[in-house]
Amino acid sequence: MINAVGRDIPEEIIKATGMQPFKGSFARNGEEYKKAAPTVRPRIDPTESKLVDSIADVLKKCGIRDGMTLSFHHHFRNGDKVVNMVMEEVHKMGIKDITICASSLGSAHAPLVPMMEDGTITNIQSSGVRGAIGEAISNGKLKGLAIMRSHGGRVRAIESGDVHIDIAFIGAPTCDEYGNMRANGGKSDCGVLSYAYVDAQYADKVVAVTDTLVPFPNLPASISQVNVDYVVEVDEIGDPAKIATGAAKPTTDVRKLMMAKYTTDVVVNTPWFKNGFVYQTGVGGASIASTKYLGEIMRERGIKMGLGLGGIAGPMCNLLEEGLIEKLVDTQDFDLTAIHSVATNPNHFEITGSEYANPMNKGAYVNRLDYVILASLEVDVNFNCNVVVGSDGVISGAQGGHPDTAAGAKCTIVITPLLQGRIPAICDECTAITTPGETVDIVVTDYGIAINPRRQDLIDCLKKTKLPIYKIEELRDMAYAITGKPEKVQFGDRVVGVIESRDGTIMDVVRQIKPYEWD
Amino acid sequence: MEVTSTAMAGTLESSDCQVTVEPGTGIDLSIDSSVINQFGKAIKKTVLETLDRLDVKDAKVTVVDKGALDCTIKARVEGAVFRASGYSEDEICSGKKLPWGGAIR
């Protein structure tokens, strides 16, 4: 069946998953539903302890068995040690058919690949996957399906009961013996625990895994004792050097600086750029540089940002310190400056993944965005974006908050260099679609910008500026003139992954890759 | 042009390609590319056209491409073929001067 972004969703996948094809970004607006709920084992006896000696013991206490769903968060990014630690024990016990429901997985989780091959892990649900796991999935090594969800979409899936978590393992930089978890003050600080909050609320069993046990009460807690069954102390939950980096060196790449300039020019020439505007940006070189340019213009014109949202890095914290931003509302910290800021600055707040981006709650922060600055691997001539599947057909990225923020923001700006080596970023058709073009307003490349024809208001604002504005087809033609027209990736038949829309419908499917055929 | 020895041109840097030309019978071409999915056929066509233009009938040609544009691929094939055929910048040594502006376009 052809869905609303023109992708053919196979009937057998619709049948197997029970999911509907994507019908449009706002199709489920106002649709009532009943939330799921966990099974709770209360602890009335005040003499019971929550402390358990080892991961193996806690798995037994939680009743680990074949076919369970285990969940994890990705706030430790590529420094995470919790996923591998838990799964090694599960593997040793000979448990099979596990579904991993993680907020994201990265290259640190390559040790899961042999567990996919031997049937320990048969399903993966994640924002995305990188490195060896992505290659393994794309080569058909996972028995079941990989489901890629946006950050908001994952919360929706858990709250609506599309996925039920049996045991949640929550890595906590600090924790007390009764399960109050914080993301600061330990050895492996990650700043916030936003994406783990829903796991704590909806999993049957919740296990805090910490390497820094602190005296009770560990307050203010990101995750409260009332949702925690057990606490396990281990040697190391993460590698601090890989959790957060120092300040990123500002880019000197002239292409990125040019795209940053265009991006800032778009922002300051549209009507929402006024006191109190709400803004989200990324951590790519061009995004960081555009934050710097934006700061200069805010200073010059005396305009303050009311709210900076989402994943936070140093440059946004610096603007907060300077008083150019009123409040930062944070779901993930990308560097040490951000981790320090959320721990110390009273105007820097931690929020949950649901508050950030869940489309099926009563109003997420993304809905309040004036601007979001995003990146994309590919953008097609209908403004659809792909951030999950590499142009070689291998799953190599993550949805993150891309579709959530794009749907919420008044002005969604996607930055992409026109060419990535020989691969044109602006193309006839994306290898896969993660973010529908109806929610993408402006594409910024190093060769010029394109405005979505659905947004006549933006075209009217920006045609008076000196910005080099083209039709998106013209940008594609410029790219193809240099690289040649690319062939479509040759996929095999088997569907290995589903790219789920934030509302739980099917945006696209990803098929197994196969060796290139010359004829 | 007759390929008499083994020669190489290009690097394995991003956006370049490394071409190795060896003596052989007929054209024996192998291509490995980081962008094979999108441009496999285009690369093959460019390499074969360039060999044809240089009148190379017998050679084993190995291309390791890192996303080079067509112009780069042509230049690397030309470089490897001329080197493998005894041409050099220094005609006193080789007796064969590179035909800039002639066969090399």
Side-chain angles (χ1 to χ4, degrees), chain A residues 11 64 87 134 222 250 269 278 289 300 313 319-320 342-343 348 376 400 406 477 481 484 491:
Chain A
E11 292 297 336
I64 182 76
M87 287 314 298
S222 298
N269 285 295
V278 182
E300 204 176 285
L319 293 181
L320 178 72
V342 72
H348 188 157
S376 187
D477 292 344
F491 284 103

Side-chain angles (χ1 to χ4, degrees), chain A residues 391 422-423 483-484 487 516 518, chain B residues 36 38-41 67-68 70:
Chain A
S391 43
R422 193 175 176 169
I423 305 291
T483 65
E487 298 164 44
Y516 182 75
W518 290 94
Chain B
I36 197 151
Q38 285 77 16
F39 297 105
K41 293 182 182 95
D70 268 346

Side-chain angles (χ1 to χ4, degrees), chain B residues 44-92:
Chain B
K44 188 174 179 182
K45 184 163 172 269
T46 302
V47 173
L48 290 177
E49 277 174 3
T50 308
L51 292 172
D52 187 53
R53 172 160 57 79
L54 299 176
D55 201 25
V56 176
K57 300 269 191 267
D58 296 295
K60 181 171 186 288
V61 180
T62 308
V63 177
V64 183
D65 169 64
K66 299 291 177 187
L69 298 176
D70 268 346
C71 50
T72 309
I73 296 170
K74 282 180 200 168
R76 295 313 191 190
V77 172
E78 287 170 352
V81 165
F82 280 106
R83 285 172 183 165
S85 310
Y87 285 77
S88 94
E89 277 294 19
D90 184 355
E91 66 179 307
I92 296 160

Side-chain angles (χ1 to χ4, degrees), chain A residues 80-358:
Chain A
D80 177 66
K81 295 195 171 172
V82 176
V83 174
N84 295 345
M85 186 190 306
V86 171
M87 287 314 298
E88 269 161 33
E89 290 301 328
V90 171
H91 188 242
K92 269 191 224 162
M93 290 175 170
I95 306 288
K96 299 288 177 196
D97 201 17
I98 292 292
T99 295
I100 302 264
C101 175
S103 57
S104 203
L105 294 169
S107 51
H109 305 119
L112 300 190
V113 171
M115 301 184 205
M116 293 161 60
E117 289 166 347
D118 73 11
T120 307
I121 299 166
T122 48
N123 287 279
I124 289 180
Q125 305 180 357
S126 175
S127 168
V129 289
R130 293 192 164 86
I133 300 182
E135 275 166 36
I137 293 171
S138 284
N139 280 296
K141 289 185 178 169
L142 192 68
K143 195 175 146 208
L145 277 175
I147 299 182
M148 268 73 69
R149 296 192 173 107
S150 71
H151 289 328
R154 178 177 188 266
V155 180
R156 180 210 57 74
I158 295 169
E159 292 195 351
S160 67
D162 283 4
V163 56
H164 180 77
I165 301 167
D166 294 299
I167 315 172
F169 289 89
I170 302 178
T174 62
C175 187
D176 63 36
E177 62 178 16
Y178 225 50
N180 291 300
M181 296 181 235
R182 296 184 65 225
N184 285 292
K187 291 178 275 193
S188 307
D189 289 352
C190 56
V192 295
L193 288 172
S194 305
Y195 296 129
Y197 188 82
V198 68
D199 304 47
Q201 279 188 307
Y202 284 83
D204 288 343
K205 292 283 188 285
V206 176
V207 178
V209 183
T210 189
D211 54 13
T212 309
L213 203 58
V214 295
F216 177 88
N218 187 27
L219 292 173
S222 298
I223 290 171
S224 161
Q225 60 184 42
V226 301
N227 290 318
V228 179
D229 291 274
Y230 300 109
V231 177
V232 183
E233 191 181 19
V234 298
D235 291 340
E236 276 180 330
I237 53 172
D239 175 354
K242 291 182 184 164
I243 296 170
T245 51
K249 219 172 137 194
T251 183
T252 52
D253 182 335
V254 289
R255 292 195 311 166
K256 288 182 185 164
L257 291 174
M258 193 153 75
M259 292 191 288
K261 189 79 185 28
Y262 292 161
T263 302
T264 306
D265 285 348
V266 167
V267 171
V268 303
N269 285 295
T270 42
W272 308 282
F273 183 64
K274 58 186 185 210
N275 258 328
F277 73 104
V278 182
Y279 187 84
Q280 177 169 340
T281 190
V283 288
S287 307
I288 297 238
S290 77
T291 306
K292 193 170 152 271
Y293 287 141
L294 189 65
E296 285 164 16
I297 295 176
M298 287 161 68
R299 239 168 258 132
E300 204 176 285
R301 300 196 195 166
I303 290 177
K304 281 188 184 174
M305 188 187 298
L307 167 59
L309 183 65
I312 303 290
M316 291 289 276
C317 301
N318 297 340
L319 293 181
L320 178 72
E321 289 287 330
E322 197 187 325
L324 286 173
I325 299 178
E326 304 273 5
K327 290 183 173 65
L328 284 181
V329 165
D330 184 341
T331 56
Q332 194 179 357
D333 292 314
F334 292 110
D335 58 24
L336 294 167
T337 311
I339 290 173
H340 178 73
S341 172
V342 72
T344 55
N345 192 315
N347 287 315
H348 188 157
F349 299 90
E350 173 180 5
I351 57 165
T352 68
S354 183
E355 289 175 291
Y356 172 46
N358 175 6

Side-chain angles (χ1 to χ4, degrees), chain A residues 62 66 131 225 233 240 281 367 387 494 505:
Chain A
C62 291
D66 293 356
Q225 60 184 42
E233 191 181 19
T281 190
N367 293 355
V387 295
R494 191 191 150 204
T505 56

